[in-house]
């Protein structure tokens, strides 16, 4: 195989120098970018920790006002009573689940509070973190037991009770109990739910209604039917026949007698009617069964609520709204102190400056920004529009109300009484502002500062209307006081199941009658009646 020989390569010194210079510049640029690239935006938990430490300084148990539907503030006394069972100084924080995701939150709270003890963090369902500072308490093992030994829907108070029980047992027993609970859970032995839902109650009501009809009807129709079947199955007493007589007359009489007897054998035995006592007994049994169903069903299906939480009171449903309205009365930007901060000082100053400029603009006005979580367990049921309307009613001032969720990253805008196109604000707002792009969703602070700045730019450019406009009234939220109440057992589902109960009773009667017929034929074949 011949290999070609290339001639000498022509060198271009200027190209080489340019190439090397470009490579050097690229390397320097990459190095500079690496050294100066901004870190991923993070939330500031120092103000949150300081606020929570102040609350624990006032009371060793702090229950948030943001979960009235699940953990009303009135349960703080119950948590305090349970905390005394641990045998060590115990500090309890009950916060929304996403508010306590920072693994160093309890460390920061303890450092600011400056008191040793057992620090426990709970959310709306379980113990999320527990750390012992300067005291001997099996916090990790107690958390494991509280997680695995109880059904998931028992609520935070019941879990905290189990947690305190294990802490009081000491290190050795707590460790053994935690290992046993973990092994049992790994084997698939998950505890059954402690509460039922509306679907379960509907099934209970339907079953009770059907049972109320099926049992009495079957007693009324099956007892007489089985009695007749049994009497027909029993052989009827047979005549001994007529003795033979002499002569043709005797033979003829014997022949007629046999003919008559064979005709009688072809007919079914005559069943005597039931006595009055039997009829009244059957009717009494049917009535007693109906009464038993009505009396026993509420005792068997005795659940009245679908959740552990007590109904919230009026002040608990208004506590957070009052807090936010009071904050907005002093500053147009209110940041929830229980949540991580998503705006730094510089971003907050720029936002407040933009708000003041918008208020002075033609057709502009006040802007109120609430950096507050929107949760299914809060007073508004997680409905941002209902929350904004309630805050507007509390504050009593028209303007643009912005609801920015620091835990989920959403931004919603509602106009109350300004000369702005409310429809455009509600439906034409860019998703990069309301939801955020991929970069925003990846950032701990959801890039809330830049998105709120973009929102103010949109407000500046929003078309002004001739007359003030207002956002539509929000849909009514679920009644927080009654939402956990189960429907009554003897409700619509109970009554609607009565007629199907008649159908079921008829079907059961048909099946039983068919089976008895088959059994009767089989018995007659095995025990034929004796021939005469």
């Amino acid at each position: 195989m011949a290999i070609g020989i290339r001639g000498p390569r022509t060198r271009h010194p200027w190209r080489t120098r340019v190439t090397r210079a470009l490579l050097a510049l690229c390397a320097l640029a990459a190095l500079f970018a690496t050294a100066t690239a901004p870190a991923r935006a993070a939330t500031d938990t120092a103000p949150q920790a300081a606020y929570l430490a102040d609350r624990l300084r006032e009371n060793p148990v702090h229950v948030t006002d943001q979960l009235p539907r699940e953990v009303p503030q009135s349960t703080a006394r119950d948590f305090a009573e349970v905390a005394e069972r641990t045998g060590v100084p115990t500090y309890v924080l009950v916060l929304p689940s996403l508010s306590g995701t920072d693994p160093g939150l309890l460390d920061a709270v303890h450092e600011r509070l400056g008191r040793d003890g057992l620090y426990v963090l709970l959310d709306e369902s379980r113990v999320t973190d527990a750390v012992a500072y300067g005291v001997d308490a099996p916090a990790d093992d107690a958390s494991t037991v509280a997680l695995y030994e109880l059904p998931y829907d028992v609520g935070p108070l019941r879990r905290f009770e189990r947690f305190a029980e294990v802490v009081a047992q000491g290190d050795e027993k707590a460790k053994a109990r935690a290992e046993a609970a973990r092994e049992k859970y790994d084997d698939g032995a998950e505890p059954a739910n402690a509460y039922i839902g509306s679907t379960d109650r509907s099934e209970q009501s339907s079953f009770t209604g059907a049972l109320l009809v099926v049992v009495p009807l079957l007693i009324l129709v099956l007892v007489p039917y089985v009695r007749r079947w049994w009497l027909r199955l029993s052989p009827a007493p047979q005549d001994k026949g007529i003795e033979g007589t002499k002569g043709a007359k005797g033979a003829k009489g014997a022949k007629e007698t046999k003919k008559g007897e064979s005709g009688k054998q072809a007919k079914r035995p005559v069943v005597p009617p039931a006595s009055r006592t039997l009829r009244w007994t059957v009717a009494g049994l049917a009535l007693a069964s109906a009464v038993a169903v009505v009396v026993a069903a509420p005792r068997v299906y005795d659940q009245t609520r679908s959740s552990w939480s007590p109904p919230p009171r009026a002040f608990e449903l208004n506590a957070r709204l009052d807090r936010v309205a009071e904050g907005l009365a002093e500053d147009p930007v209110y940041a929830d102190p229980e949540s991580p901060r998503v705006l730094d000082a510089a971003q907050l100053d720029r936002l407040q400056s933009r708000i003041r400029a918008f208020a002075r603009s033609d057709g502009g006005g006040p802007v109120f920004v609430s950096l507050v979580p929107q949760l299914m367990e809060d007073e508004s049921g997680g409905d941002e529009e209902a929350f904004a309307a309630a805050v507007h009613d509390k504050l009593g001032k028209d303007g643009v109300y912005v609801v920015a969720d620091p835990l989920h990253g959403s931004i919603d805008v509602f106009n109350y009484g300004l000369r702005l196109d409310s429809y455009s604000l509600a439906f034409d707002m860019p998703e990069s502002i309301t939801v955020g792009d991929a970069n925003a969703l990846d950032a701990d602070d959801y890039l809330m500062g830049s998105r709120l700045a973009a929102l103010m730019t949109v407000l500046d450019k929003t078309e002004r209307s001739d007359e003030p406009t207002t956002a539509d009234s929000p849909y009514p939220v679920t009644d927080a006081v009654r939402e956990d109440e189960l429907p009554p057992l003897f409700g619509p589902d109970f009554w609607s199941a009565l007629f199907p109960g008649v159908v079921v009773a008829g079907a059961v009667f048909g099946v039983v009658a068919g089976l008895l017929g088959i059994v009767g034929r089989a018995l007659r074949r095995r025990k034929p009646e004796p021939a005469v």
Side-chain angles (χ1 to χ4, degrees):
M1 180 177 180
I3 300 177
I5 301 176
R6 292 182 296 179
R9 185 173 57 183
T10 304
R11 295 180 178 271
H12 299 281
W14 63 272
R15 290 184 180 178
T16 303
R17 288 194 294 269
V18 171
T19 302
R20 289 177 179 176
L22 290 175
L23 291 175
L25 288 174
C26 291
L28 289 174
L31 180 62
F32 180 78
T34 303
T36 62
R40 182 172 180 259
T43 55
D44 183 9
T45 58
Q48 178 190 20
Y51 175 82
L52 296 175
D54 290 340
R55 301 289 76 75
L56 292 180
R57 190 171 288 109
E58 298 171 357
N59 191 320
V61 174
H62 172 69
V63 177
T64 179
D65 59 3
Q66 306 197 70
L67 304 171
R69 293 173 182 263
E70 187 64 25
V71 193
Q73 287 185 302
S74 58
T75 59
R77 181 177 301 177
D78 299 323
F79 280 100
E81 292 177 357
V82 176
E84 295 178 356
R85 305 174 193 171
T86 61
V88 296
T90 303
Y91 300 92
V92 181
L93 291 171
V94 182
L95 301 175
S97 55
L98 293 179
S99 294
T101 55
D102 183 5
L105 180 60
L106 289 183
D107 293 339
V109 172
H110 166 253
E111 181 179 355
R112 290 182 175 273
L113 184 58
R115 299 176 184 176
D116 286 342
L118 178 60
Y119 286 66
V120 185
L121 177 63
L122 301 101
D123 61 13
E124 54 270 19
S125 62
R126 62 189 180 90
V127 178
T128 59
D129 196 10
V131 183
Y133 300 96
V135 296
D136 185 14
D140 292 339
D141 291 332
S143 299
T144 300
V145 172
L147 177 63
Y148 291 132
E149 282 192 354
L150 297 174
Y152 84 96
D153 60 344
V154 295
L157 180 59
R158 179 80 178 278
R159 290 196 187 276
F160 186 52
E161 290 176 350
R162 185 62 55 89
F163 175 90
E165 174 189 329
V166 177
V167 169
Q169 290 180 339
D171 293 341
E172 186 175 348
K173 291 184 178 180
K175 182 178 180 180
R177 191 167 174 179
E179 292 177 354
R182 191 181 293 106
E183 291 177 0
K184 187 176 181 181
Y185 183 83
D186 291 340
D187 292 338
E190 185 175 355
N193 294 345
Y195 297 91
I196 64 172
S198 57
T199 301
D200 300 313
R201 172 45 54 88
S202 176
E203 294 175 354
Q204 293 174 352
S205 297
S206 299
F207 179 74
T208 302
L211 199 64
L212 180 63
V213 174
V214 170
V215 175
L217 281 182
L218 289 180
I219 292 175
L220 290 174
V221 298
L222 279 182
V223 172
Y225 184 84
V226 172
R227 172 183 172 273
R228 289 193 299 270
W229 174 82
W230 179 256
L231 293 177
R232 288 172 180 171
L233 188 64
S234 301
Q238 302 293 331
D239 294 336
K240 294 182 179 180
I242 302 175
E243 296 182 358
T245 57
K246 297 180 180 180
K249 185 176 181 180
K252 183 178 180 181
K255 187 176 181 180
E256 291 178 355
T257 301
K258 289 182 179 181
K259 183 177 180 181
E261 288 179 354
S262 63
K264 289 181 180 180
Q265 291 177 4
K267 296 180 180 179
R268 290 184 177 182
V270 177
V271 178
S275 64
R276 178 177 298 181
T277 302
L278 179 60
R279 291 197 298 269
W280 279 105
T281 301
V282 172
L285 287 175
L287 179 61
S289 66
V291 173
V293 170
V294 173
V295 173
R299 298 179 182 273
V300 176
Y301 304 135
D302 58 349
Q303 302 93 334
T304 59
R305 297 182 61 80
S306 61
S307 172
W308 75 277
S309 59
R313 290 177 285 184
F315 82 90
E316 294 169 320
L317 294 173
N318 286 277
R320 188 175 74 153
L321 297 174
D322 293 335
R323 170 165 62 89
V324 174
E326 291 173 2
L328 291 176
E330 299 177 359
D331 192 304
V333 180
Y334 178 80
D336 176 48
E338 291 184 347
S339 303
R341 292 294 176 91
V342 292
L343 295 180
D344 58 30
Q347 291 173 330
L348 181 60
D349 289 341
R350 287 194 294 269
L351 179 60
Q352 291 171 334
S353 177
R354 295 286 301 273
I355 290 175
R356 289 191 294 268
F358 179 78
R360 295 190 299 266
S361 66
D362 180 29
V367 177
F368 302 100
V369 180
S370 301
L371 290 160
V372 179
Q374 301 301 301
L375 310 164
M376 293 296 296
E377 299 84 6
D378 66 28
E379 75 290 326
S380 306
D383 188 333
E384 299 85 356
E385 189 174 3
F387 174 80
V391 172
H392 169 252
D393 291 340
K394 293 278 186 181
L395 189 58
K397 296 181 180 179
D398 288 342
V400 175
Y401 283 73
V402 180
V403 181
D405 190 334
L407 301 184
H408 300 95
S410 62
I411 296 177
D412 294 273
V413 185
F414 307 97
N415 175 38
Y416 292 95
L418 298 188
R419 292 193 300 108
L420 300 175
D421 185 355
S422 297
Y423 182 89
S424 175
L425 292 178
F427 298 101
D428 296 337
M429 190 68 64
E431 287 191 1
S432 59
I433 294 177
T434 58
V435 179
D437 56 17
N439 293 329
L441 296 177
D442 188 53
D444 290 338
D445 65 350
Y446 297 103
L447 302 182
M448 195 66 74
S450 60
R451 290 166 59 200
L452 288 174
L455 169 62
M456 294 307 302
T457 301
V458 172
L459 289 179
D460 291 334
K461 297 179 179 180
T462 298
E463 182 180 356
R464 270 48 172 176
S465 58
D466 296 333
E467 299 292 336
T469 63
T470 297
D472 295 335
S473 299
Y475 290 105
V477 298
T478 306
D479 186 355
V481 177
R482 304 191 61 182
E483 67 175 351
D484 290 333
E485 294 180 359
L486 290 173
L489 183 62
F490 299 105
D493 293 313
F494 169 83
W495 298 107
S496 62
L498 295 181
F499 178 74
V502 176
V503 177
V504 172
V508 173
F509 174 76
V511 172
V512 173
L515 292 176
L516 291 179
I518 295 173
V519 172
R521 293 191 189 94
L523 292 177
R524 291 190 188 96
R525 290 174 182 173
R526 294 182 60 182
K527 296 181 179 180
E529 296 182 1
V532 179

